[in-house]
Amino acid sequence: EDCDDADATVSPGSNEICDGLDNDCDGDLPIQETDTDGDGYMDCALNDNAPSISSVTIEPDPPKAADTLTCSYEGFFDPNGDPDQSTLEWQVNGSDFGSETTLTGVFIYGDIVTCAVTPSDGTWSGNALVAGVTVANTAPVISSVTLSPDPATENDTLSCSPDSVTDADNTSAINLSYTWDVNGSDPGAGSNTLSSAHFERGDVVSCSVTPDDGTST
């Protein structure tokens, strides 16, 4: 390999030092930049001491808003047998969100979450590997439903009221659909109230409510 040209790069396994006349060491390999020969220009040498990893994984995949994500990696190798001191970095839609092994509470439906792991032995750092996941939708939730009045008479209008409608993805508009049941049959009311025309004394009436965020019910 000719190491006299500017911006020369070093091949894997090579220990050659190449003068970069514009003080710029190019290439994707782990490179050490020092003025080895004292000529005022940076010399580019392949860092044969840099560790590496083989893969990075985020679990679960796909995640939902309430999940705790875990970033893990495999295949750490250091040519000198130095201990693993690799670091990681979380990002959500391109913004930094810490360097712990887990991440929670900062992402919702549609967000892109990445974890970059940089192999390191505390002195030398190798090439980072990145894993990414897209956050899936979480269906909205109703904690309970109240049917009133209770007890009811055959002259009452019944009202079906959901309590505590929540959505982990902070969806602004949740649509609620109502289904009534009178003695096992649907009277076809379709709203949150049922008039006395649909039932009489002794009938068993129930109501169910389904929340919909536009993606999941």
Side-chain angles (χ1 to χ4, degrees):
E1 179 180 349
D2 183 2
C3 291
D4 297 326
D5 296 332
D7 295 337
T9 58
V10 183
S11 302
S14 170
N15 291 315
E16 293 184 84
I17 295 176
C18 305
D19 283 343
L21 299 183
D22 61 356
N23 295 337
D24 181 18
C25 296
D26 294 336
D28 294 328
L29 297 171
I31 297 296
Q32 177 186 8
E33 298 186 50
T34 56
D35 183 8
T36 305
D37 53 14
D39 62 0
Y41 296 100
M42 299 302 291
D43 303 319
C44 307
L46 180 67
N47 172 19
D48 287 326
N49 298 311
S52 62
I53 56 175
S54 60
S55 64
V56 177
T57 303
I58 297 176
E59 293 181 330
D61 182 12
K64 294 185 177 181
D67 288 337
T68 295
L69 298 184
T70 300
C71 181
S72 59
Y73 61 94
E74 295 181 347
F76 177 84
F77 171 74
D78 186 90
N80 300 315
D82 293 329
D84 183 358
Q85 297 188 43
S86 301
T87 60
L88 63 85
E89 179 183 14
W90 289 100
Q91 287 193 336
V92 180
N93 299 327
S95 298
D96 294 340
F97 275 92
S99 58
E100 302 297 324
T101 56
T102 60
L103 183 70
T104 188
V106 295
F107 47 85
I108 59 175
Y109 173 48
D111 285 346
I112 297 175
V113 182
T114 60
C115 179
V117 178
T118 301
S120 174
D121 60 12
T123 301
W124 297 103
S125 295
N127 292 327
L129 295 184
V130 181
V133 293
T134 300
V135 181
N137 185 64
T138 301
V141 176
I142 296 174
S143 62
S144 63
V145 175
T146 301
L147 185 56
S148 60
D150 183 16
T153 72
E154 59 185 348
N155 295 318
D156 288 329
T157 294
L158 303 183
S159 178
C160 186
S161 303
D163 299 318
S164 184
V165 182
T166 59
D167 185 80
D169 298 310
N170 300 322
T171 305
S172 58
I174 303 296
N175 181 61
L176 301 176
S177 60
Y178 298 84
T179 303
W180 291 90
D181 183 287
V182 179
N183 298 327
S185 298
D186 183 359
S191 69
N192 65 327
T193 60
L194 184 69
S195 71
S196 59
H198 296 286
F199 56 87
E200 58 187 22
R201 180 182 179 183
D203 286 345
V204 177
V205 181
S206 65
C207 174
S208 64
V209 186
T210 303
D212 184 350
D213 63 7
T215 301
S216 302
T217 57

